[in-house]
Amino acid sequence: MSERIRLTEVSKQYVANKKATPALALDGIDLLIEAGEVYGLIGRSGAGKSTLLRMINGLEAPTSGQVLVDGVDVQTLSPGELRTLRHGIGMVFQQFSLWNSRTVYGNIATPLKIAGWKDADISRRVGELLDFVGLGGKAFARPRQLSGGQKQRVGIARAIASRPSILLADEATSALDPQTTTEIVDLLRSVNREFGITIVVVTHEMDVISRLADRVSILSQGRVVESGEIHQILARPSHAVTQGLVGSYTRTALTDAEKTALRDRFGGRKISVAVDDVLVNSPVLSRLARENGVDFAVIQGGVARVKDQPYGQLSLALYGDDVAIDRFTADLSAQTEVTAW
Ligand SMILES: Nc1ncnc2c1ncn2[C@@H]1O[C@H](COP(=O)(O)OP(=O)(O)O)[C@@H](O)[C@H]1O
Ligand SMILES: [Mg+2]
């Protein structure tokens, strides 16, 4: 893999008219996105996701720090060079942003026309794209005649028409129902797989990130609070904001408040165990319990899969003598992450 996008200590302060100094929209962001991956940025509303995304194609300038695309500092580009950069970066939006007065064909063809493509090439390319996004018969429909999912398919076709190397998706599924969201997630996934396009997905939906992204950063108040591979983040969300986003999605992990509420309802000592390959592919949990003479009850937990990687969390109440439980916990800690609570 090679580096495609790099942000170094990027901060953004929007200039306000009011006297009060506004909070930083972005505050010291470091980020590395490799060529060919799907990178997720997740966070609650106002976290700075859109601001960050818009810096990658130079729509927003950092107040300080550097944004590099393919090794080039976006801030140093001339207007002409910036146009060339944007030509290589497609973008899709929550509200689709289609031209309502143009047909589906016109929506996809217009950026190619502006880029100087010949009519015959445009016609071939639009046909190809409509087939790819599953809208073969809709070339001459108007956006108002399409469902939300179909509009987003047009948005995606338009965004990848000129064969960009990067696709930025800002809440691309947030206006869609769950079934349509699944279809659009699958389509974005095939954009990545079939054309090798690097995708940066911004969303507040953990469900979307977990099915789409390879790696993810969690943003809160303009900062990256946690980053990693998606299944690791789902298995071991360490920051409270991540735990909130993951917790409401998987429900395998206990929140701190739930632990407090449950602590006295169960006897024994309590631990939470991150589910990993090792816990799924070998009987390590029962073996270590037997070897150390420890019994356990499962308070809450589950094992799920994302892109064939198991993840989840088990919260256990342990019974046995103190020394045995200490040994069991130490042995298990050598295999996966264990937290006592
Ligand atoms: N053009 C703007 N002018 C002033 N403040 C802005 C502007 N755009 C965004 N902000 C502020 O910057 C912060 C981050 O916004 P944004 O990047 O849109 O977050 P997100 O996409 O995560 O919801 C918010 O506090 C928002 O109010
Ligand atoms: Mg946003």
Side-chain angles (χ1 to χ4, degrees), residues 14 25 44-52:
Y14 285 108
R44 302 207 180 286
S45 180
K49 306 182 294 297
S50 296
T51 302
L52 197 165

Short mmCIF file of all heavy atoms in Angstrom, two decimals, residues 14 25 44-52, ligand 1:
data_model
loop_
_atom_site.label_atom_id
_atom_site.label_comp_id
_atom_site.label_asym_id
_atom_site.label_seq_id
_atom_site.Cartn_x
_atom_site.Cartn_y
_atom_site.Cartn_z
N TYR A 14 -13.07 28.55 12.12
CA TYR A 14 -13.91 29.38 11.26
C TYR A 14 -13.92 30.79 11.83
O TYR A 14 -14.04 30.97 13.05
CB TYR A 14 -15.32 28.81 11.19
CG TYR A 14 -15.42 27.58 10.31
CD1 TYR A 14 -15.61 26.33 10.87
CD2 TYR A 14 -15.33 27.69 8.93
CE1 TYR A 14 -15.70 25.20 10.07
CE2 TYR A 14 -15.42 26.55 8.12
CZ TYR A 14 -15.61 25.32 8.70
OH TYR A 14 -15.70 24.21 7.91
N ALA A 25 -12.95 24.04 14.87
CA ALA A 25 -13.72 22.99 14.18
C ALA A 25 -12.85 21.75 14.02
O ALA A 25 -13.35 20.63 14.08
CB ALA A 25 -14.18 23.49 12.82
N ARG A 44 -20.22 12.36 16.08
CA ARG A 44 -21.54 12.96 16.17
C ARG A 44 -21.58 14.25 15.35
O ARG A 44 -20.55 14.73 14.89
CB ARG A 44 -21.87 13.24 17.64
CG ARG A 44 -21.82 11.97 18.48
CD ARG A 44 -22.73 12.04 19.69
NE ARG A 44 -22.64 10.80 20.46
CZ ARG A 44 -23.19 9.65 20.10
NH1 ARG A 44 -23.89 9.56 18.98
NH2 ARG A 44 -23.05 8.57 20.85
N SER A 45 -22.76 14.77 15.20
CA SER A 45 -22.96 16.01 14.46
C SER A 45 -22.12 17.13 15.06
O SER A 45 -22.06 17.28 16.28
CB SER A 45 -24.45 16.35 14.51
OG SER A 45 -24.67 17.53 13.82
N GLY A 46 -21.41 17.87 14.21
CA GLY A 46 -20.59 18.98 14.68
C GLY A 46 -19.17 18.59 15.06
O GLY A 46 -18.37 19.43 15.47
N ALA A 47 -18.82 17.32 14.91
CA ALA A 47 -17.49 16.84 15.30
C ALA A 47 -16.38 17.36 14.40
O ALA A 47 -15.21 17.38 14.78
CB ALA A 47 -17.48 15.31 15.30
N GLY A 48 -16.74 17.79 13.18
CA GLY A 48 -15.73 18.31 12.26
C GLY A 48 -15.51 17.43 11.03
O GLY A 48 -14.60 17.67 10.24
N LYS A 49 -16.36 16.44 10.85
CA LYS A 49 -16.17 15.46 9.76
C LYS A 49 -16.21 16.10 8.38
O LYS A 49 -15.34 15.87 7.55
CB LYS A 49 -17.26 14.36 9.85
CG LYS A 49 -17.35 13.68 11.20
CD LYS A 49 -18.42 12.60 11.19
CE LYS A 49 -19.85 13.10 11.02
NZ LYS A 49 -20.33 13.98 12.11
N SER A 50 -17.25 16.90 8.13
CA SER A 50 -17.39 17.51 6.80
C SER A 50 -16.25 18.49 6.54
O SER A 50 -15.73 18.56 5.43
CB SER A 50 -18.74 18.23 6.68
OG SER A 50 -19.79 17.30 6.78
N THR A 51 -15.88 19.23 7.56
CA THR A 51 -14.76 20.18 7.43
C THR A 51 -13.50 19.43 7.01
O THR A 51 -12.80 19.84 6.08
CB THR A 51 -14.52 20.90 8.78
OG1 THR A 51 -15.73 21.58 9.15
CG2 THR A 51 -13.39 21.90 8.68
N LEU A 52 -13.24 18.32 7.67
CA LEU A 52 -12.05 17.53 7.35
C LEU A 52 -12.11 17.00 5.92
O LEU A 52 -11.15 17.12 5.16
CB LEU A 52 -11.95 16.37 8.35
CG LEU A 52 -10.62 15.65 8.48
CD1 LEU A 52 -10.59 14.80 9.75
CD2 LEU A 52 -10.30 14.78 7.30
N1 LIG B 1 -18.83 27.57 7.23
C1 LIG B 1 -18.79 27.51 8.57
N2 LIG B 1 -18.69 28.66 9.31
C2 LIG B 1 -18.62 28.62 10.65
N3 LIG B 1 -18.63 27.50 11.38
C3 LIG B 1 -18.72 26.33 10.72
C4 LIG B 1 -18.81 26.29 9.28
N4 LIG B 1 -18.89 24.97 8.90
C5 LIG B 1 -18.86 24.25 10.04
N5 LIG B 1 -18.75 25.06 11.13
C6 LIG B 1 -18.64 24.61 12.53
O1 LIG B 1 -17.54 23.73 12.62
C7 LIG B 1 -17.86 22.61 13.44
C8 LIG B 1 -17.70 21.32 12.66
O2 LIG B 1 -18.67 21.28 11.64
P1 LIG B 1 -18.77 20.11 10.57
O3 LIG B 1 -17.44 19.89 9.97
O4 LIG B 1 -19.88 20.44 9.64
O5 LIG B 1 -19.16 18.86 11.49
P2 LIG B 1 -19.84 17.47 11.12
O6 LIG B 1 -19.74 17.27 9.64
O7 LIG B 1 -19.07 16.46 11.90
O8 LIG B 1 -21.26 17.54 11.59
C9 LIG B 1 -19.26 22.85 13.96
O9 LIG B 1 -19.17 23.46 15.22
C10 LIG B 1 -19.85 23.78 12.95
O10 LIG B 1 -20.84 24.60 13.53
#
